[in-house]
Amino acid sequence: MTYRGSLARTGMFAIAYLIAVWAGRLTVMDDTNLSMVWPAAGIAAVWGCAQRKAPARWADVAALAAITLVVNTATGATVGLAMVFVVANLVQVAVLVLLLARWRPGLGPLSGLRNTRDLWALLAAGITATVAGAVAGPIGMWLLTGRHSWPATLVWLSRNTASVLLIGAAGLCVVPAIRRFRERYGTLRDWWRATPRARLIEYGALVLISTATYLTGFAYSRGLPIAFALIAVTVWAGTRFPTPLVVLHDLAAGSMAVLFTLTGHGPFAAIGDPATRACVAQLYVAIVAVVGLSLALGRAERTALITALATEREQASQRAELLRAIIDSTTDGLAVVGADRRVVLSNPAADELLGDGSAGDFEEVFARALAGETVPETDVLIHRPGTAHGRIVCVRTAALRDPDGARRVVLLFHDVTTERRHRDELAGFAGVVAHDLLNPVTAVEGWTETAAEAIEGFPETPGTGPALDALGRVQRAAGRMRSLIAGLLAYTTARDATVAAVPVDLGQMVSEVTVARLDAAIAAGSPAPRFTVGDLPPVLADPVLLRQLLDNLIGNAIKYTARHVTPALTVTGHRDGDMVLVCVADNGIGIPAGQHDEIFGDFRRAHPTLGYAGTGLGLGICRRIVERHGGTITATDNPGGGSRFEFSVPAAGPARQPVPDSAQLR
């Protein structure tokens, strides 16, 4: 809001407040200078809420104080008494605004009354604020005049509370109601055309019946105390019409009751004491406002809740239909099996696989899952009548527990018959290729070794040295070819082999790999590596692939160590949710900057020019193995020098007790 806009709104509220104060002063009852009604309290409440965050709040305070002072002195109040009213009104507005800002921060003239909680907050804040104003007002009058009237204090409380509740509610609802009317209808003519005739008749009936009943109750009741029966009209309005219309109805009804009482008509005018008469009239106005607004807001809340529930139900139905269509259209089977081994839900693909509607072929898998055991992917061979060959189905399970405590199992089926046959054919082909390639390599290695021995047995001639050098080159090339074939076979295995995950003692496996590497180093006459192995939790993995993963990482760490440096490795791990994070740290030559991700590519070597042997497939194999277990692998620099490789694999069972490091691994 701009500064100019804030001042403009201050002017508009000041005019409304001036009219309200003048009207209130016209209802002064006796020499206490207290008015029977005080609409200015409601105008001030809306004014304070609307300008709570305005940049020119000083102008609002000044305008409210000036109007209160001028009007009260102009209508017979002394300057001192008018100053008391100024302080009392400012205190009342300040307390009201502060309480509403704390209790209902979103409540304001732009939002309107949204629910019954807003109404109760407005009522509670109004009562508290008028109590604060009554402390400042009547007590101030007592200090000035030397007299204190408890009836005058009750009049102050009742009239200001009723005004805040009724006029404040109307002020809070008017702007949102106009905005919604314009968005929905635009003009009165459009509203008239869009509203059903029955609804228009009901609107007219409300106006006529309300007018007739109030005229009867206040103008023609002949002294009969039948004002309580007029509440029925308010109940009708609250249960049938929108909140803004109910606010207007309550405002009109309250105004009629007060005007008739002021003119000496109606049941309240018969009360002789002016203070009692004012309190009873204001109590009636407050009851009308509370009853009408609570019914209207409660009905609006129920309508909004029913609409939201219907929308949510429709959306849930649509999501269920969409989910069912997706499940039915998938080629993989899905079935939910109860504790009685009967299928309670399945899609067409599952029906084709299950056939007779039971889970008999998957009895073992189902029983383990029903018992709460984590079951890895399992291949099951099934036979169906009328088929010559069985079908291999990969089964995954997940246990469910119904609200009543019964357990069910979700089975996911994937027909892997073709894949398994393809894998077996590929494995056979790879074996044949490896055999056919390794035979000539073995022959080359054998003949070059024989030739070298034969040449060494002859007397040395000028051509002996070049010949032996050439044979050495052939032998090294054959060795590289053998390593490449072994790497390709390992890479194919890591990519295509079935992951038969079982619980594995990770600590025991690391110990076996490190002991084997230690023995190999001692046999080769190399420095014996130093290993530090921490407490490692058990994992759920394929033992063959996991051993290959660990052997590759540990072997790389030992190989890529600077000359005359004893390899030192640390293997640690911990459980993180459903995964186990394992770290292999070394004191090697490290990884060149910018290549920490690239080294996991196929045929990528971090140090191709430093003379370290290798095919560039080792880390690619490690990545394949980890990814096939559902984990990740990363490489970083070791803060103490060297490299750190971290990978994750699924955890299995509770953490094991620490296993002391063996002496040879220190």
Side-chain angles (χ1 to χ4, degrees):
M1 181 189 301
T2 63
Y3 201 82
R4 179 177 298 180
S6 175
L7 291 176
R9 291 215 307 190
T10 298
M12 290 188 295
F13 277 112
I15 295 173
Y17 185 73
L18 174 62
I19 297 173
V21 171
W22 189 272
R25 290 297 296 169
L26 294 178
T27 64
V28 173
M29 296 181 296
D30 51 25
D31 58 351
T32 61
N33 259 305
L34 279 177
S35 303
M36 179 178 177
V37 295
W38 194 246
I43 299 296
V46 180
W47 189 355
C49 292
Q51 296 288 88
R52 181 166 59 92
K53 297 182 180 180
R57 281 176 293 177
W58 64 268
D60 301 303
V61 175
L64 189 147
I67 293 172
T68 304
L69 181 63
V70 171
V71 175
N72 279 276
T73 54
T75 54
T78 64
V79 175
L81 199 57
M83 290 299 299
V84 170
F85 292 153
V86 168
V87 173
N89 288 337
L90 290 177
V91 168
Q92 181 172 302
V93 172
V95 172
L96 177 71
V97 171
L98 290 175
L99 290 179
L100 287 180
R102 177 179 293 273
W103 294 342
R104 307 298 291 173
L107 182 61
L110 296 180
S111 63
L113 294 176
R114 297 157 298 186
N115 46 54
T116 53
R117 292 185 297 275
D118 288 346
L119 173 62
W120 305 134
L122 177 62
L123 179 59
I127 293 174
T128 307
T130 54
V131 169
V135 171
I139 290 180
M141 295 170 60
W142 170 62
L143 294 176
L144 286 177
T145 62
R147 293 179 302 170
H148 180 267
S149 173
W150 284 110
T153 303
L154 293 177
V155 170
W156 183 291
L157 290 172
S158 61
R159 70 174 193 182
N160 285 22
T161 301
S163 178
V164 169
L165 181 61
L166 193 56
I167 299 179
L172 291 175
C173 291
V174 61
V175 174
I178 294 175
R179 185 172 60 244
R180 288 194 295 267
F181 182 86
R182 288 178 176 176
E183 291 175 354
R184 185 173 181 180
Y185 302 108
T187 64
L188 286 174
R189 178 178 297 179
D190 295 332
W191 169 78
W192 182 268
R193 293 175 178 174
T195 305
R197 291 294 174 264
R199 191 64 167 171
L200 293 174
I201 293 174
E202 191 172 10
Y203 285 144
L206 176 65
V207 174
L208 293 176
I209 294 176
S210 297
T211 304
T213 52
Y214 272 84
L215 287 175
T216 303
F218 283 88
Y220 306 108
S221 62
R222 307 287 183 184
L224 295 176
I226 60 174
F228 67 90
L230 305 181
I231 299 294
V233 181
T234 302
V235 172
W236 174 31
T239 55
R240 289 292 300 164
F241 298 99
T243 301
L245 184 59
V246 174
V247 171
L248 294 178
H249 179 270
D250 293 346
L251 185 61
S255 300
M256 291 177 66
V258 170
L259 289 175
F260 277 117
T261 303
L262 287 174
T263 58
H265 296 85
F268 306 141
I271 301 175
D273 181 54
T276 305
R277 183 168 62 248
C279 290
V280 172
Q282 297 299 334
L283 179 61
Y284 175 79
V285 172
I287 290 175
V288 167
V290 170
V291 170
L293 287 174
S294 60
L295 289 175
L297 292 171
R299 183 176 55 84
E301 284 186 276
R302 290 192 299 273
T303 302
L305 179 60
I306 292 173
T307 302
L309 289 176
T311 302
E312 185 176 352
R313 181 180 299 176
E314 179 66 22
Q315 293 176 349
S317 177
Q318 293 176 356
R319 288 194 296 267
E321 292 178 1
L322 177 61
L323 182 61
R324 184 68 192 187
I326 293 174
I327 293 175
D328 289 346
S329 63
T330 57
T331 56
D332 289 347
L334 183 147
V336 179
V337 184
D340 57 354
R341 272 63 172 175
R342 304 300 301 177
V343 177
V344 297
L345 176 67
S346 62
N347 64 349
D351 294 338
E352 182 182 356
L353 290 172
L354 296 176
D356 58 356
S358 67
D361 292 320
F362 313 99
E363 181 69 28
E364 180 181 356
V365 177
F366 170 79
R368 293 171 59 189
L370 190 62
E373 181 180 348
T374 301
V375 183
E377 293 186 1
T378 305
D379 286 352
V380 177
L381 178 63
I382 62 174
H383 293 275
R384 287 289 173 260
T387 57
H389 303 284
R391 302 171 70 179
I392 302 175
V393 178
C394 179
V395 185
R396 287 180 293 175
T397 65
L400 295 178
R401 185 179 292 275
D402 292 342
D404 57 358
R407 297 183 67 93
R408 297 184 180 183
V409 176
V410 178
L411 299 177
L412 297 177
F413 312 101
H414 178 60
D415 192 341
V416 294
T417 305
T418 304
E419 298 175 13
R420 296 296 182 261
R421 290 173 181 171
H422 175 70
R423 184 197 64 192
D424 294 341
E425 293 173 358
L426 182 62
F429 175 76
V432 172
V433 170
H435 180 271
D436 291 344
L437 288 176
L438 286 175
N439 277 342
V441 170
T442 303
V444 169
E445 289 177 333
W447 285 112
T448 53
E449 183 178 355
T450 301
E453 292 176 353
I455 292 175
E456 290 174 353
F458 289 104
E460 185 175 353
T461 63
T464 300
L468 291 175
D469 183 64
L471 289 174
R473 292 176 182 272
V474 173
Q475 286 181 323
R476 289 192 294 274
R480 288 194 297 272
M481 177 60 73
R482 180 181 293 276
S483 298
L484 178 60
I485 294 172
L488 288 173
L489 285 175
Y491 183 80
T492 303
T493 302
R495 183 189 65 187
D496 298 317
T498 301
V499 178
V502 296
V504 176
D505 188 337
L506 184 59
Q508 180 65 31
M509 181 170 288
V510 170
S511 297
E512 294 174 359
V513 173
T514 53
V515 168
R517 285 290 179 176
L518 183 65
D519 293 341
I522 294 174
S526 302
R530 296 195 303 270
F531 298 98
T532 301
V533 181
D535 178 33
L536 300 175
V539 298
L540 188 66
D542 186 298
V544 176
L545 296 179
L546 183 61
R547 184 182 297 274
Q548 186 177 8
L549 167 65
L550 294 170
D551 190 65
N552 282 0
L553 291 178
I554 294 174
N556 273 2
I558 295 173
K559 179 172 66 174
Y560 290 100
T561 304
R563 296 179 181 177
H564 310 298
V565 174
T566 301
L569 283 77
T570 301
V571 183
T572 57
H574 67 276
R575 183 162 183 162
D576 184 10
D578 294 334
M579 305 295 287
V580 171
L581 303 182
V582 182
C583 175
V584 179
D586 60 59
N587 64 339
I589 60 177
I591 301 171
Q595 298 189 30
H596 294 81
D597 294 330
E598 297 178 0
I599 58 174
F600 292 103
D602 299 336
F603 301 102
R604 297 302 299 267
R605 302 183 61 196
H607 304 281
T609 61
L610 297 184
Y612 293 95
T615 62
L617 287 172
L619 292 179
I621 294 172
C622 293
R623 184 188 65 179
R624 290 282 185 177
I625 294 174
V626 172
E627 289 178 349
R628 297 203 63 197
H629 284 82
T632 58
I633 184 170
T634 58
T636 57
D637 294 329
N638 193 5
S643 305
R644 289 169 55 93
F645 288 88
E646 294 183 343
F647 66 90
S648 60
V649 289
R656 296 176 61 86
Q657 295 297 323
V659 179
D661 298 334
S662 56
Q664 72 271 25
L665 301 183
R666 292 287 182 183

